[in-house]
Amino acid sequence: MTVALGMPALPPPVLSDRRKTRQLQVGPVGVGSDFPISVQSMTTTLTSDVNATLQQIAELTAAGCDIVRVACPSADDAEALPAIAKKSQIPVIADIHFQPKYVFAAIEAGCAAVRVNPGNIRKFDDQVKEIAQAAKDHGTPIRIGVNAGSLDKRIMDKYGKATPEALAESALWEASLFAEHDFHDIKISVKHNDPVVMVRAYELLAEQCDYPLHLGVTEAGPAFQGTIKSAVAFGALLRQGIGDTIRVSLSAPPVEEVKVGIQILQSLNLKQRKLEIVSCPSCGRAQVDVYTLAEQVTAGLEGMEIPLRVAVMGCVVNGPGEAREADLGVASGNGKGQIFVKGEVIKTVPEHAIVETLIEEAMRIAEEAGEGLGEGAPVVTAG
């Protein structure tokens, strides 16, 4: 039996078509407008600790991360890159600052790409020819990453501070140096902690080049603040079709960055939705504890790997309508809940049984969907 789930048969609507860009490969992950927007994060371990770094990469992979970046500030870190690049389940980008020799080490190590920050690498422009040749020989893309806190002194002297124009000009100048040596496998980022400045900088880039762009609000802050700033900035750019990879920078474990990034893309129909909980904010009309119900259902269905929209509603005003529109839902009130599956009421249960019933029905729907999809259907886990 095939069960129709939350994703429509046709591609879901998006706010804007993607900006057309050059295409490049970061290992097996395609980057550019012909490919899905990818989610990145960065390890917090010492890169020289190979086992710890690979363990964190495995956790990020399990969370849905597409590409991972590792810091390389020392010789010990550079020596660890070959093992990490070889054993990682997802493409590894080496993050290079200050020492240009580590750019060459990362390329030789087989990293899927190298991120350079020209503003703080000594005499970087003098070595572009050699870097471009090494990267071309190994098929290694370069990300030119310009940060507000480390702009080239010449740019700072010209603009006085990290304006959108300064960020864009710096990145485009460095890209032009690579282009002079016929190297074009370039991705650009221009990060700032102010979403307004960051958005305008990316808009300027999008107007002036066709390189793929990596979006990020740098030093976005703790989890709540950083999530808001990143969602606002990414939404403003993705609304215009700008952005080919993203990284949510949080003062939080890297897995949390990945979860937020995925959720941002899913909310804009730029990534296939999996589990989606539709729940009301609660108000004076609510006759059940909606907060607790929603949290318990979310926890019980964690790990659901198929698109499933579950509505947890707490009153009779919007509850039945929202529950009817979801794959699975409950409209609660007067100590009981009506359970809906695909728009039909299948049973009414007491309040204390709502969570258990929703989880049981979700697993049943997932199992039937798997049978309908046949061999190779996604593994469904919960809990």
mmCIF file of all heavy atoms in Angstrom, residues 149-182:
data_model
loop_
_atom_site.group_PDB
_atom_site.id
_atom_site.type_symbol
_atom_site.label_atom_id
_atom_site.label_comp_id
_atom_site.label_asym_id
_atom_site.label_seq_id
_atom_site.Cartn_x
_atom_site.Cartn_y
_atom_site.Cartn_z
ATOM 1 N N GLY A 149 36.192 40.918 9.882
ATOM 2 C CA GLY A 149 37.233 41.127 10.880
ATOM 3 C C GLY A 149 38.643 40.963 10.366
ATOM 4 O O GLY A 149 39.601 41.155 11.133
ATOM 5 N N SER A 150 38.794 40.593 9.102
ATOM 6 C CA SER A 150 40.154 40.362 8.595
ATOM 7 C C SER A 150 40.284 40.794 7.140
ATOM 8 O O SER A 150 40.796 40.070 6.299
ATOM 9 C CB SER A 150 40.528 38.877 8.729
ATOM 10 O OG SER A 150 39.523 38.042 8.163
ATOM 11 N N LEU A 151 39.795 41.984 6.850
ATOM 12 C CA LEU A 151 39.910 42.525 5.501
ATOM 13 C C LEU A 151 41.351 42.956 5.212
ATOM 14 O O LEU A 151 42.082 43.387 6.117
ATOM 15 C CB LEU A 151 38.990 43.740 5.337
ATOM 16 C CG LEU A 151 37.577 43.485 4.820
ATOM 17 C CD1 LEU A 151 36.805 44.799 4.784
ATOM 18 C CD2 LEU A 151 37.575 42.843 3.448
ATOM 19 N N ASP A 152 41.719 42.866 3.962
ATOM 20 C CA ASP A 152 43.024 43.338 3.519
ATOM 21 C C ASP A 152 43.204 44.815 3.903
ATOM 22 O O ASP A 152 42.270 45.618 3.792
ATOM 23 C CB ASP A 152 43.123 43.169 2.002
ATOM 24 C CG ASP A 152 44.514 43.463 1.474
ATOM 25 O OD1 ASP A 152 44.880 44.651 1.416
ATOM 26 O OD2 ASP A 152 45.214 42.511 1.113
ATOM 27 N N LYS A 153 44.405 45.160 4.356
ATOM 28 C CA LYS A 153 44.678 46.523 4.819
ATOM 29 C C LYS A 153 44.386 47.561 3.730
ATOM 30 O O LYS A 153 43.905 48.662 4.011
ATOM 31 C CB LYS A 153 46.124 46.640 5.287
ATOM 32 C CG LYS A 153 46.488 48.010 5.852
ATOM 33 C CD LYS A 153 47.942 48.056 6.319
ATOM 34 C CE LYS A 153 48.263 49.401 6.971
ATOM 35 N NZ LYS A 153 48.058 50.529 6.033
ATOM 36 N N ARG A 154 44.663 47.219 2.477
ATOM 37 C CA ARG A 154 44.422 48.167 1.389
ATOM 38 C C ARG A 154 42.937 48.507 1.270
ATOM 39 O O ARG A 154 42.561 49.655 1.014
ATOM 40 C CB ARG A 154 44.935 47.581 0.071
ATOM 41 C CG ARG A 154 46.443 47.406 0.010
ATOM 42 C CD ARG A 154 46.851 46.523 -1.138
ATOM 43 N NE ARG A 154 46.350 45.161 -0.976
ATOM 44 C CZ ARG A 154 46.579 44.164 -1.832
ATOM 45 N NH1 ARG A 154 47.309 44.404 -2.928
ATOM 46 N NH2 ARG A 154 46.110 42.970 -1.610
ATOM 47 N N ILE A 155 42.099 47.504 1.462
ATOM 48 C CA ILE A 155 40.653 47.723 1.383
ATOM 49 C C ILE A 155 40.177 48.550 2.571
ATOM 50 O O ILE A 155 39.351 49.468 2.428
ATOM 51 C CB ILE A 155 39.900 46.379 1.330
ATOM 52 C CG1 ILE A 155 40.300 45.597 0.068
ATOM 53 C CG2 ILE A 155 38.402 46.583 1.386
ATOM 54 C CD1 ILE A 155 39.830 46.206 -1.226
ATOM 55 N N MET A 156 40.723 48.239 3.748
ATOM 56 C CA MET A 156 40.340 49.000 4.934
ATOM 57 C C MET A 156 40.764 50.459 4.811
ATOM 58 O O MET A 156 40.035 51.370 5.216
ATOM 59 C CB MET A 156 40.949 48.372 6.184
ATOM 60 C CG MET A 156 40.298 47.055 6.586
ATOM 61 S SD MET A 156 38.551 47.229 7.020
ATOM 62 C CE MET A 156 38.679 48.072 8.589
ATOM 63 N N ASP A 157 41.941 50.688 4.249
ATOM 64 C CA ASP A 157 42.401 52.066 4.053
ATOM 65 C C ASP A 157 41.475 52.817 3.101
ATOM 66 O O ASP A 157 41.240 54.024 3.263
ATOM 67 C CB ASP A 157 43.826 52.070 3.499
ATOM 68 C CG ASP A 157 44.858 51.640 4.525
ATOM 69 O OD1 ASP A 157 44.524 51.626 5.727
ATOM 70 O OD2 ASP A 157 45.985 51.281 4.121
ATOM 71 N N LYS A 158 40.943 52.128 2.124
ATOM 72 C CA LYS A 158 40.080 52.767 1.131
ATOM 73 C C LYS A 158 38.702 53.082 1.686
ATOM 74 O O LYS A 158 38.167 54.183 1.473
ATOM 75 C CB LYS A 158 39.957 51.872 -0.100
ATOM 76 C CG LYS A 158 39.023 52.419 -1.178
ATOM 77 C CD LYS A 158 38.980 51.495 -2.397
ATOM 78 C CE LYS A 158 38.019 52.036 -3.459
ATOM 79 N NZ LYS A 158 37.983 51.175 -4.673
ATOM 80 N N TYR A 159 38.111 52.129 2.417
ATOM 81 C CA TYR A 159 36.718 52.274 2.854
ATOM 82 C C TYR A 159 36.578 52.669 4.327
ATOM 83 O O TYR A 159 35.506 53.126 4.735
ATOM 84 C CB TYR A 159 35.952 50.973 2.609
ATOM 85 C CG TYR A 159 35.675 50.715 1.156
ATOM 86 C CD1 TYR A 159 36.519 49.915 0.394
ATOM 87 C CD2 TYR A 159 34.558 51.267 0.521
ATOM 88 C CE1 TYR A 159 36.273 49.672 -0.953
ATOM 89 C CE2 TYR A 159 34.300 51.029 -0.816
ATOM 90 C CZ TYR A 159 35.159 50.234 -1.548
ATOM 91 O OH TYR A 159 34.907 49.998 -2.869
ATOM 92 N N GLY A 160 37.604 52.464 5.112
ATOM 93 C CA GLY A 160 37.547 52.842 6.514
ATOM 94 C C GLY A 160 36.947 51.798 7.420
ATOM 95 O O GLY A 160 37.253 51.754 8.610
ATOM 96 N N LYS A 161 36.090 50.939 6.901
ATOM 97 C CA LYS A 161 35.505 49.851 7.667
ATOM 98 C C LYS A 161 34.956 48.806 6.695
ATOM 99 O O LYS A 161 34.972 49.002 5.469
ATOM 100 C CB LYS A 161 34.400 50.357 8.592
ATOM 101 C CG LYS A 161 33.227 51.001 7.895
ATOM 102 C CD LYS A 161 32.179 51.459 8.903
ATOM 103 C CE LYS A 161 30.971 52.095 8.216
ATOM 104 N NZ LYS A 161 29.945 52.499 9.203
ATOM 105 N N ALA A 162 34.434 47.738 7.266
ATOM 106 C CA ALA A 162 33.962 46.617 6.438
ATOM 107 C C ALA A 162 32.555 46.899 5.920
ATOM 108 O O ALA A 162 31.565 46.368 6.413
ATOM 109 C CB ALA A 162 34.001 45.326 7.237
ATOM 110 N N THR A 163 32.466 47.730 4.923
ATOM 111 C CA THR A 163 31.183 48.019 4.281
ATOM 112 C C THR A 163 30.850 46.893 3.294
ATOM 113 O O THR A 163 31.724 46.098 2.919
ATOM 114 C CB THR A 163 31.255 49.342 3.507
ATOM 115 O OG1 THR A 163 32.215 49.184 2.440
ATOM 116 C CG2 THR A 163 31.677 50.480 4.411
ATOM 117 N N PRO A 164 29.595 46.832 2.829
ATOM 118 C CA PRO A 164 29.271 45.836 1.797
ATOM 119 C C PRO A 164 30.147 45.974 0.558
ATOM 120 O O PRO A 164 30.601 44.975 -0.010
ATOM 121 C CB PRO A 164 27.798 46.136 1.479
ATOM 122 C CG PRO A 164 27.257 46.747 2.727
ATOM 123 C CD PRO A 164 28.392 47.552 3.284
ATOM 124 N N GLU A 165 30.414 47.221 0.181
ATOM 125 C CA GLU A 165 31.249 47.457 -0.990
ATOM 126 C C GLU A 165 32.676 46.959 -0.768
ATOM 127 O O GLU A 165 33.309 46.407 -1.679
ATOM 128 C CB GLU A 165 31.260 48.944 -1.335
ATOM 129 C CG GLU A 165 29.925 49.499 -1.799
ATOM 130 C CD GLU A 165 28.921 49.732 -0.669
ATOM 131 O OE1 GLU A 165 29.326 49.686 0.518
ATOM 132 O OE2 GLU A 165 27.742 49.957 -0.978
ATOM 133 N N ALA A 166 33.179 47.159 0.451
ATOM 134 C CA ALA A 166 34.535 46.714 0.769
ATOM 135 C C ALA A 166 34.632 45.189 0.706
ATOM 136 O O ALA A 166 35.598 44.636 0.152
ATOM 137 C CB ALA A 166 34.932 47.210 2.156
ATOM 138 N N LEU A 167 33.656 44.510 1.278
ATOM 139 C CA LEU A 167 33.669 43.048 1.272
ATOM 140 C C LEU A 167 33.613 42.502 -0.148
ATOM 141 O O LEU A 167 34.385 41.612 -0.527
ATOM 142 C CB LEU A 167 32.486 42.521 2.087
ATOM 143 C CG LEU A 167 32.528 42.783 3.597
ATOM 144 C CD1 LEU A 167 31.167 42.537 4.217
ATOM 145 C CD2 LEU A 167 33.586 41.913 4.258
ATOM 146 N N ALA A 168 32.688 43.034 -0.947
ATOM 147 C CA ALA A 168 32.532 42.551 -2.314
ATOM 148 C C ALA A 168 33.777 42.847 -3.146
ATOM 149 O O ALA A 168 34.261 41.992 -3.896
ATOM 150 C CB ALA A 168 31.291 43.173 -2.950
ATOM 151 N N GLU A 169 34.318 44.062 -3.017
ATOM 152 C CA GLU A 169 35.489 44.429 -3.814
ATOM 153 C C GLU A 169 36.687 43.554 -3.478
ATOM 154 O O GLU A 169 37.439 43.130 -4.366
ATOM 155 C CB GLU A 169 35.836 45.899 -3.599
ATOM 156 C CG GLU A 169 37.034 46.363 -4.415
ATOM 157 C CD GLU A 169 37.315 47.847 -4.273
ATOM 158 O OE1 GLU A 169 36.346 48.641 -4.252
ATOM 159 O OE2 GLU A 169 38.509 48.210 -4.182
ATOM 160 N N SER A 170 36.862 43.276 -2.193
ATOM 161 C CA SER A 170 37.984 42.440 -1.780
ATOM 162 C C SER A 170 37.885 41.047 -2.398
ATOM 163 O O SER A 170 38.863 40.524 -2.954
ATOM 164 C CB SER A 170 38.018 42.335 -0.253
ATOM 165 O OG SER A 170 39.056 41.476 0.173
ATOM 166 N N ALA A 171 36.713 40.446 -2.311
ATOM 167 C CA ALA A 171 36.533 39.094 -2.849
ATOM 168 C C ALA A 171 36.713 39.066 -4.364
ATOM 169 O O ALA A 171 37.367 38.170 -4.917
ATOM 170 C CB ALA A 171 35.153 38.574 -2.471
ATOM 171 N N LEU A 172 36.144 40.042 -5.049
ATOM 172 C CA LEU A 172 36.228 40.062 -6.508
ATOM 173 C C LEU A 172 37.656 40.330 -6.977
ATOM 174 O O LEU A 172 38.080 39.817 -8.022
ATOM 175 C CB LEU A 172 35.267 41.114 -7.066
ATOM 176 C CG LEU A 172 33.783 40.768 -6.918
ATOM 177 C CD1 LEU A 172 32.919 41.964 -7.286
ATOM 178 C CD2 LEU A 172 33.423 39.559 -7.776
ATOM 179 N N TRP A 173 38.405 41.135 -6.229
ATOM 180 C CA TRP A 173 39.798 41.381 -6.569
ATOM 181 C C TRP A 173 40.589 40.077 -6.508
ATOM 182 O O TRP A 173 41.347 39.744 -7.438
ATOM 183 C CB TRP A 173 40.404 42.411 -5.621
ATOM 184 C CG TRP A 173 41.906 42.462 -5.651
ATOM 185 C CD1 TRP A 173 42.766 42.006 -4.694
ATOM 186 C CD2 TRP A 173 42.722 42.972 -6.707
ATOM 187 N NE1 TRP A 173 44.066 42.205 -5.078
ATOM 188 C CE2 TRP A 173 44.068 42.793 -6.314
ATOM 189 C CE3 TRP A 173 42.450 43.557 -7.940
ATOM 190 C CZ2 TRP A 173 45.136 43.174 -7.112
ATOM 191 C CZ3 TRP A 173 43.517 43.939 -8.743
ATOM 192 C CH2 TRP A 173 44.843 43.753 -8.334
ATOM 193 N N GLU A 174 40.404 39.324 -5.432
ATOM 194 C CA GLU A 174 41.141 38.070 -5.303
ATOM 195 C C GLU A 174 40.727 37.076 -6.379
ATOM 196 O O GLU A 174 41.562 36.368 -6.949
ATOM 197 C CB GLU A 174 40.919 37.472 -3.909
ATOM 198 C CG GLU A 174 41.364 38.357 -2.759
ATOM 199 C CD GLU A 174 42.861 38.665 -2.763
ATOM 200 O OE1 GLU A 174 43.621 37.937 -3.452
ATOM 201 O OE2 GLU A 174 43.270 39.618 -2.082
ATOM 202 N N ALA A 175 39.442 37.023 -6.693
ATOM 203 C CA ALA A 175 38.975 36.117 -7.748
ATOM 204 C C ALA A 175 39.583 36.491 -9.093
ATOM 205 O O ALA A 175 39.926 35.621 -9.908
ATOM 206 C CB ALA A 175 37.449 36.147 -7.826
ATOM 207 N N SER A 176 39.747 37.795 -9.312
ATOM 208 C CA SER A 176 40.312 38.239 -10.590
ATOM 209 C C SER A 176 41.769 37.808 -10.731
ATOM 210 O O SER A 176 42.241 37.539 -11.847
ATOM 211 C CB SER A 176 40.193 39.763 -10.718
ATOM 212 O OG SER A 176 41.118 40.439 -9.871
ATOM 213 N N LEU A 177 42.501 37.745 -9.606
ATOM 214 C CA LEU A 177 43.885 37.291 -9.662
ATOM 215 C C LEU A 177 43.963 35.831 -10.085
ATOM 216 O O LEU A 177 44.839 35.442 -10.870
ATOM 217 C CB LEU A 177 44.565 37.482 -8.299
ATOM 218 C CG LEU A 177 44.693 38.924 -7.795
ATOM 219 C CD1 LEU A 177 45.412 38.943 -6.453
ATOM 220 C CD2 LEU A 177 45.415 39.801 -8.803
ATOM 221 N N PHE A 178 43.037 35.003 -9.569
ATOM 222 C CA PHE A 178 42.994 33.602 -9.992
ATOM 223 C C PHE A 178 42.588 33.495 -11.464
ATOM 224 O O PHE A 178 43.126 32.668 -12.211
ATOM 225 C CB PHE A 178 42.021 32.816 -9.118
ATOM 226 C CG PHE A 178 42.589 32.390 -7.802
ATOM 227 C CD1 PHE A 178 42.398 33.159 -6.664
ATOM 228 C CD2 PHE A 178 43.333 31.230 -7.687
ATOM 229 C CE1 PHE A 178 42.924 32.779 -5.442
ATOM 230 C CE2 PHE A 178 43.878 30.830 -6.472
ATOM 231 C CZ PHE A 178 43.676 31.608 -5.343
ATOM 232 N N ALA A 179 41.644 34.328 -11.861
ATOM 233 C CA ALA A 179 41.178 34.289 -13.254
ATOM 234 C C ALA A 179 42.300 34.630 -14.219
ATOM 235 O O ALA A 179 42.356 34.108 -15.343
ATOM 236 C CB ALA A 179 40.008 35.245 -13.441
ATOM 237 N N GLU A 180 43.211 35.497 -13.807
ATOM 238 C CA GLU A 180 44.358 35.845 -14.653
ATOM 239 C C GLU A 180 45.195 34.622 -14.991
ATOM 240 O O GLU A 180 45.882 34.585 -16.018
ATOM 241 C CB GLU A 180 45.228 36.891 -13.947
ATOM 242 C CG GLU A 180 44.629 38.286 -13.924
ATOM 243 C CD GLU A 180 45.535 39.275 -13.214
ATOM 244 O OE1 GLU A 180 46.658 38.863 -12.808
ATOM 245 O OE2 GLU A 180 45.137 40.440 -13.055
ATOM 246 N N HIS A 181 45.145 33.627 -14.121
ATOM 247 C CA HIS A 181 45.895 32.390 -14.342
ATOM 248 C C HIS A 181 44.973 31.258 -14.788
ATOM 249 O O HIS A 181 45.294 30.081 -14.621
ATOM 250 C CB HIS A 181 46.657 32.012 -13.070
ATOM 251 C CG HIS A 181 47.623 33.073 -12.618
ATOM 252 N ND1 HIS A 181 48.788 33.349 -13.299
ATOM 253 C CD2 HIS A 181 47.561 33.946 -11.581
ATOM 254 C CE1 HIS A 181 49.431 34.340 -12.689
ATOM 255 N NE2 HIS A 181 48.701 34.724 -11.649
ATOM 256 N N ASP A 182 43.828 31.649 -15.353
ATOM 257 C CA ASP A 182 42.875 30.708 -15.932
ATOM 258 C C ASP A 182 42.384 29.685 -14.911
ATOM 259 O O ASP A 182 42.171 28.514 -15.234
ATOM 260 C CB ASP A 182 43.481 30.000 -17.144
ATOM 261 C CG ASP A 182 42.424 29.308 -17.995
ATOM 262 O OD1 ASP A 182 41.279 29.802 -18.021
ATOM 263 O OD2 ASP A 182 42.739 28.266 -18.609
#
